[in-house]
């Protein structure tokens, strides 16, 4: 549900070549209008999402045992156009801070591409916690037209669904506000990932050729192409950049899995129809898409995002089930206690190493 872990490796290589203001403008123009709804419905869902976000905070803190400093900041409830603007600014801060594009034409072309991506994502994203917003104080965004669209599509109780969505996004807010080092850790990995590696074109071409020979690129991937796209990106990266990409992918998997675990832990206590919501929402996640939409999802990394939910939740479920939430929280102690890529698949290895 969150942009900063939904950005594809290709997005992250654009760095300071993007005209972010132009990207926001293009994205806002291309964003599809939300579902038809009355003024009363819009006011009602905006108010209820804001109150649900506040209600979710103590529930999440109680289940996770994570203590965040300060009070509970209000969520921003936005439409699709407002989300595009906020997301473009978030990506600018993540990728290159306040740097200027390298050239007008290059900046406009990549800006248009980025804007089109943001417009596509704006129709599906329900919420996003942005740890880089407000001078790194963070901001929780909830996209109310998409919440309306999904609850209508799935025919589920609106009040229950709105709280359920907030449980996931608020978990991300608690993760970052209780563990302030996570923002710097992400920022450092992103800086390394987007930095020019200094390799000449011959070295890059050589690495890509080795990948093609070793993996048989073009023969098709069992997972529908997502791993192939990641493989190409990794093939042209330097070794430090590959390590940074692995760090971000593992962190994203942990954060998403932890949030899904918390949703299911809190749900039975706070969301009466949680079983129906979870079942119908998971069916929607895995519903077969038309060919063009499947291609777009693969190119944008959205299918990899769904894999993050599944693999991350399996990791958290296993560890919490075996040692309890208090001991699981050692994962937040430092970069060294985060799971390694192999440990996501084999949680016992993380338990043995860290605990």
């Amino acid at each position: 549900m969150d942009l900063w872990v939904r950005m594809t490796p290709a997005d992250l290589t654009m760095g300071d070549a993007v005209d972010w203001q132009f990207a926001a403008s293009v994205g806002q123009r291309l964003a599809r209008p939300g579902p038809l709804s009355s003024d009363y419905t819009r006011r009602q869902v905006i108010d209820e999402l804001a109150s649900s976000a506040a209600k979710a905070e103590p529930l999440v803190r109680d289940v996770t045992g994570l203590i965040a400093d300060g009070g509970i900041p209000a969520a921003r409830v936005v439409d699709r156009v407002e989300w595009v603007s906020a997301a473009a600014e978030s990506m600018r801060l993540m990728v290159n801070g306040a740097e200027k594009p390298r050239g007008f034409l290059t900046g406009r072309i990549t800006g248009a591409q980025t804007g089109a991506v943001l417009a596509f994502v704006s129709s599906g994203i329900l919420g996003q916690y942005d740890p880089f917003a407000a001078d790194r104080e963070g901001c929780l965004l909830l996209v109310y037209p998409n919440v309306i669209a999904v609850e209508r599509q799935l025919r589920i109780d609106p009040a229950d669904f709105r709280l359920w969505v907030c449980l996931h996004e608020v978990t991300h807010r608690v993760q970052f506000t209780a563990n302030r080092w996570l923002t710097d850790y992400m920022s450092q990995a992103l800086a390394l990932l987007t930095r020019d590696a200094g390799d000449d074109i011959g070295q890059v071409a050589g690495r890509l050729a080795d990948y093609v020979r070793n993996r048989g690129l073009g023969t098709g991937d069992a997972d529908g192409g997502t791993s192939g796209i990641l493989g190409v990106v990794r093939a042209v990266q330097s070794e430090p950049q590959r390590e940074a990409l692995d760090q971000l992918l593992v962190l994203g998997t942990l954060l998403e899995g932890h949030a899904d675990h918390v949703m299911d832990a809190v749900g039975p206590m706070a969301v009466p129809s949680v079983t129906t919501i979870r079942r119908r929402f998971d069916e929607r996640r895995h519903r077969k898409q038309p060919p063009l939409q499947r291609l777009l999802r693969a190119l944008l990394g959205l299918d990899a995002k769904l894999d993050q939910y599944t693999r991350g939740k399996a990791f958290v479920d296993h560890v919490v089930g075996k040692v309890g939430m208090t001991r699981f929280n050692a994962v937040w102690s430092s970069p060294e206690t985060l799971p390694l890529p192999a440990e996501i698949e084999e949680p016992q290895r993380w338990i043995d190493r860290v605990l």
Side-chain angles (χ1 to χ4, degrees):
M1 296 180 186
D2 312 274
L3 176 71
W4 57 264
V5 284
R6 185 172 260 173
M7 289 175 63
T8 68
D11 297 326
L12 297 172
T13 62
M14 290 187 284
D16 60 356
V18 179
D19 183 331
W20 294 105
Q21 185 174 359
F22 188 65
S25 177
V26 170
Q28 290 166 345
R29 289 174 179 268
L30 294 179
R32 296 168 55 193
L36 291 176
S37 54
S38 65
D39 289 341
Y40 172 82
T41 298
R42 287 193 293 273
R43 287 194 301 269
Q44 194 263 347
V45 69
I46 289 170
D47 290 345
E48 189 159 28
L49 281 171
S51 62
S52 293
K55 180 180 179 181
E57 185 95 8
L59 297 173
V60 169
R61 293 187 187 188
D62 183 58
V63 165
T64 63
L66 297 176
I67 307 301
D69 296 333
I72 301 175
R76 278 189 63 197
V77 185
V78 298
D79 60 21
R80 292 173 178 176
V81 169
E82 291 169 327
W83 179 84
V84 167
S85 178
E89 176 63 9
S90 173
M91 292 171 72
R92 182 186 71 83
L93 293 172
M94 282 191 288
V95 172
N96 65 351
E99 295 178 21
K100 300 296 184 183
R102 290 176 181 153
F104 176 81
L105 184 59
T106 300
R108 285 298 178 100
I109 292 173
T110 53
Q113 293 170 338
T114 305
V117 169
L118 292 175
F120 179 82
V121 175
S122 72
S123 295
I125 190 166
L126 300 177
Q128 166 198 351
Y129 179 70
D130 178 6
F132 296 93
D135 199 21
R136 297 201 174 199
E137 286 301 312
C139 179
L140 175 61
L141 299 173
L142 298 166
V143 190
Y144 75 84
N146 298 340
V147 172
I148 292 174
V150 172
E151 63 194 26
R152 287 178 179 175
Q153 179 189 21
L154 301 185
R155 302 190 307 278
I156 47 184
D157 181 90
D160 282 4
F161 182 67
R162 294 163 192 176
L163 177 57
W164 191 73
V165 168
C166 287
L167 288 171
H168 186 103
E169 305 308 335
V170 166
T171 299
H172 289 318
R173 180 165 66 187
V174 170
Q175 289 164 344
F176 279 89
T177 54
N179 305 286
R180 293 289 181 177
W181 63 270
L182 284 173
T183 303
D184 288 336
Y185 177 80
M186 280 187 60
S187 181
Q188 291 164 10
L190 285 164
L192 184 59
L193 193 59
T194 58
R195 189 175 66 199
D196 188 348
D199 296 338
D200 64 37
I201 189 64
Q203 290 175 304
V204 173
R207 289 200 293 263
L208 185 57
D210 288 341
Y211 176 80
V212 172
R213 283 194 299 270
N214 295 334
R215 295 292 300 273
L217 186 65
T219 59
D221 293 292
D223 64 0
T226 300
S227 66
I229 293 166
L230 280 173
V232 172
V233 172
R234 291 176 64 84
V236 300
Q237 289 177 321
S238 66
E239 186 57 35
Q241 287 176 320
R242 292 191 195 109
E243 292 175 1
L245 177 58
D246 284 342
Q247 289 174 356
L248 289 173
L249 291 174
V250 169
L251 178 60
T253 301
L254 172 66
L255 295 173
E256 292 302 332
H258 182 245
D260 255 20
H261 175 91
V262 171
M263 289 171 80
D264 285 351
V266 176
M269 299 182 292
V271 183
S273 59
V274 66
T275 302
T276 300
I277 291 174
R278 168 61 79 182
R279 175 173 53 80
R280 294 183 182 175
F281 195 77
D282 285 346
E283 288 171 354
R284 176 180 177 270
R285 275 180 177 174
H286 297 98
R287 191 171 299 149
K288 190 171 183 180
Q289 304 289 337
L292 178 58
Q293 192 164 2
R294 289 205 304 273
L295 174 62
L296 286 171
R297 291 178 64 85
L299 291 174
L300 296 177
L302 302 185
D303 293 326
K305 173 73 173 180
L306 295 182
D307 187 52
Q308 282 183 317
Y309 289 117
T310 303
R311 294 165 59 237
K313 186 174 184 297
F315 172 84
V316 178
D317 287 349
H318 179 94
V319 177
V320 172
K322 191 157 189 178
V323 304
M325 183 64 78
T326 300
R327 296 191 69 200
F328 167 83
N329 282 340
V331 78
W332 311 114
S333 301
S334 71
E336 289 70 33
T337 58
L338 293 174
L340 302 173
E343 292 170 347
I344 289 288
E345 311 301 335
E346 299 180 59
Q348 187 60 46
R349 294 175 63 176
W350 179 86
I351 294 173
D352 294 339
R353 179 177 66 88
V354 175
L355 301 183

